[in-house]
Amino acid sequence: QVQLQESGPGLVKPSETLSLTCTVSGGSIDTYYWNWIRQSPGKGLEWIGYIFHSGSSNYNPSLKSRVTISVDTSKNQFSLKLTSVTPADTAVYYCAREGLRSGYFDIWGQGTVVTVSS
Amino acid sequence: EIVMTQSPVTLSVSPGERATLSCRASQSVSSNLAWYQQKPGQAPRLLIYGASTRATGVPARFSGSGSGTEFTLTISSLQSEDFALYYCQQYNSWWTFGQGTKVEIK
């Protein structure tokens, strides 16, 4: 069955760039939409953005100026970059699969904790 | 942005009893609503989509209803593994989540 696994640094300094990768195993990255979602005590669950295997993407308007999501189909991976981070970006970051324009997230990674601190 | 409001914040229920969780949208989301269950240290798990369709492998004791702005998740007879956090999520306009309802043992 399809599984997702996030990877990346657990600690990022303020003003720097948060970079995470999600590896898709057990299935192809084609056909579905691939999302990043974060969860923090202060803001709860927050959708960050998605990418399609073609490279088409869409981002949460509140984060759009700082977010880039990219895909590497040869590695079955997609990645998140969030620039100019502050402590407010401290959260558990999840990658998740969305069916073709279904709108809901049927498979999630286990999540990775990212702390923004000097 | 569509704001999702869940109530109550905490629901205390005895095993075997029925639990009813509510989710309200700040504007109509039609039936574009999903419910998730989250246990400590785990990712959310999809339970319901399309307001009332159970996801694959979800027990029949979970049911969803509603449309427009008012939605309900019902757990007909709570099992020990059902004590968890539950979130609603709309996908009618962008994607937003409720703040969650914690179902705890009474």
Side-chain angles (χ1 to χ4, degrees):
Chain A
Q1 69 282 22
V2 175
Q3 292 185 311
L4 308 181
Q5 179 67 58
E6 305 89 350
S7 59
L11 180 64
V12 183
K13 289 183 168 54
S15 79
E16 295 190 344
T17 296
L18 179 159
S19 297
L20 296 174
T21 295
C22 182
T23 300
V24 180
S25 59
S28 173
I29 204 166
D30 293 346
T31 308
Y32 292 93
Y33 285 77
W34 302 95
N35 292 257
W36 286 99
I37 296 162
R38 68 182 182 180
Q39 185 173 30
S40 62
K43 298 196 75 175
L45 285 160
E46 181 179 32
W47 174 77
I48 299 171
Y50 73 67
I51 194 159
F52 193 49
H53 67 87
S54 64
S56 171
S57 60
N58 201 1
Y59 305 131
N60 188 321
S62 69
L63 298 169
K64 188 173 183 176
S65 63
R66 299 194 291 133
V67 173
T68 302
I69 299 176
S70 58
V71 64
D72 185 338
T73 55
S74 68
K75 295 182 179 178
N76 243 27
Q77 293 177 335
F78 63 105
S79 298
L80 168 70
K81 288 191 187 301
L82 181 65
T83 62
S84 305
V85 297
T86 71
D89 294 310
T90 294
V92 179
Y93 285 75
Y94 295 100
C95 54
R97 187 183 83 170
E98 177 197 349
L100 268 180
R101 306 301 30 226
S102 70
Y104 52 87
F105 309 107
D106 61 349
I107 298 177
W108 296 62
Q110 66 184 29
T112 188
V113 177
V114 179
T115 302
V116 178
S117 174
S118 55
Chain B
E1 175 182 305
I2 297 177
V3 177
M4 308 302 291
T5 303
Q6 292 185 241
S7 60
V9 172
T10 303
L11 184 61
S12 298
V13 186
S14 299
E17 289 189 340
R18 181 187 195 93
T20 302
L21 290 68
S22 296
C23 176
R24 175 177 292 179
S26 60
Q27 62 190 77
S28 176
V29 299
S30 186
S31 294
N32 296 315
L33 185 107
W35 288 95
Y36 300 84
Q37 176 193 68
Q38 187 177 33
K39 297 181 180 179
Q42 297 183 15
R45 168 199 176 198
L46 177 67
L47 295 177
I48 301 283
Y49 61 90
S52 61
T53 302
R54 277 189 302 277
T56 302
V58 175
R61 63 181 181 273
F62 290 91
S63 63
S65 63
S67 66
T69 62
E70 300 284 344
F71 301 87
T72 300
L73 175 69
T74 302
I75 311 171
S76 59
S77 177
L78 273 159
Q79 306 298 302
S80 58
E81 61 268 29
D82 301 335
F83 292 96
L85 272 164
Y86 292 85
Y87 293 95
C88 61
Q89 175 233 333
Q90 67 82 20
Y91 48 93
N92 192 68
S93 175
W94 299 91
W95 297 261
T96 53
F97 294 83
Q99 84 282 11
T101 290
K102 180 181 180 181
V103 177
E104 66 175 24
I105 300 175
K106 186 175 182 181

